[in-house]
Amino acid sequence: MSGQHVEISKFLSLVLRHKPESIGLTLDTEGWVDIDVLIACANQAGQILTRQLLQEVVETSDKKRFTVSEDGLRIRAAQGHSTESVAIAHVEKQPPEFLYHGTAMRFLDSIREKGLLPGSRHYVHLSEDEQTAIAVGQRYGKPIVLKVKALLMAEQGFKFYQADNGVWLTGNVSIEFIQPSD
Ligand code: HQG
């Protein structure tokens, strides 16, 4: 990704996950917005954006952060939302036995006390592989990977969903479902 692509990706994360209203955008409850409307609002707000640039960012996004609808007309963020205007009706899905959550060492005491919380986002985010979890944790400091007993949680009635890009989503994860590290 070029510097321009990274800048646009961050801009898209901001308006498609957190603050659509900051550029006068309205997302539907599934998080979708017309690409033409997005481009118009972005340009109006001084952010250079074209169909070509948007397509390049979507295609080169390492985490497949953005999903384009099948008809090519609309776009949404796959996951990571905090805006209350979006409430994606995910289909419940049985998770694998373990899922991983990457976090920073400095959050561990609080996690031991309260379990994993979604923070400002709608869900706690989990990945199927440890490598991804390390990269996620690194954003906040020295990373540590927590192994979550996902299937056991699901068996006990906790709901799991998988976002368009494969990231797993759930609500609070109580400490009893975090596998002690050896
Ligand atoms: C931590 C990225 C203290 C949690 C990633 C995390 C993901 C606690 C931070 C997606 C806690 C929240 C989401 C507790 C959890 N006490 N800290 N009780 N419970 N935390 O960014 O999961 O690159 O909101 O461990 O790839 O890091 O943006 O969530 O460190 O998929 O596309 O509180 O965002 O995607 O941080 O990341 P975040 P996350 P993008």
Side-chain angles (χ1 to χ4, degrees):
M1 263 198 173
S2 70
Q4 188 187 25
H5 287 151
V6 172
E7 182 202 313
I8 291 172
S9 179
K10 290 192 170 168
F11 170 81
L12 292 176
S13 288
L14 178 73
V15 300
L16 297 180
R17 289 173 172 174
H18 309 299
K19 294 188 170 167
E21 69 284 353
S22 66
I23 60 162
L25 210 59
T26 304
L27 310 178
D28 73 14
T29 54
E30 289 294 310
W32 297 109
V33 66
D34 281 341
I35 289 176
D36 288 340
V37 173
L38 169 64
I39 290 173
C41 286
N43 291 335
Q44 187 77 31
Q47 172 66 54
I48 294 168
L49 191 61
T50 61
R51 263 190 176 267
Q52 172 75 26
L53 282 166
L54 196 63
Q55 193 179 332
E56 287 165 9
V57 169
V58 170
E59 283 171 5
T60 58
S61 169
D62 52 351
K63 294 180 181 168
K64 296 193 170 57
R65 288 181 179 87
F66 311 105
T67 311
V68 172
S69 59
E70 274 178 24
D71 60 12
L73 297 177
R74 298 182 300 161
I75 189 168
R76 74 175 176 187
Q79 33 73 211
H81 297 85
S82 66
T83 174
E84 285 178 10
S85 59
V86 173
I88 300 179
H90 292 289
V91 180
E92 223 187 309
K93 190 168 173 183
Q94 179 172 297
E97 185 173 11
F98 295 109
L99 286 170
Y100 301 91
H101 178 87
T103 189
M105 295 286 280
R106 63 193 165 95
F107 296 148
L108 272 188
D109 283 347
S110 168
I111 291 171
R112 278 197 194 99
E113 195 183 320
K114 300 177 192 150
L116 283 173
L117 306 173
S120 60
R121 304 192 200 247
H122 296 170
Y123 299 100
V124 168
H125 287 56
L126 303 161
S127 61
E128 281 180 22
D129 65 291
E130 291 183 69
Q131 212 46 49
T132 303
I134 292 171
V136 171
Q138 246 157 10
R139 296 175 306 144
Y140 293 116
K142 192 169 186 300
I144 175 142
V145 174
L146 303 176
K147 192 171 176 180
V148 173
K149 300 175 195 170
L151 186 57
L152 183 66
M153 276 184 75
E155 284 166 358
Q156 296 194 14
F158 295 94
K159 293 181 171 35
F160 282 78
Y161 313 100
Q162 202 171 17
D164 301 336
N165 63 351
V167 169
W168 285 87
L169 308 169
T170 194
N172 297 13
V173 177
S174 138
I175 193 70
E176 66 185 287
F177 296 114
I178 297 174
Q179 178 110 322
S181 51
D182 19 56

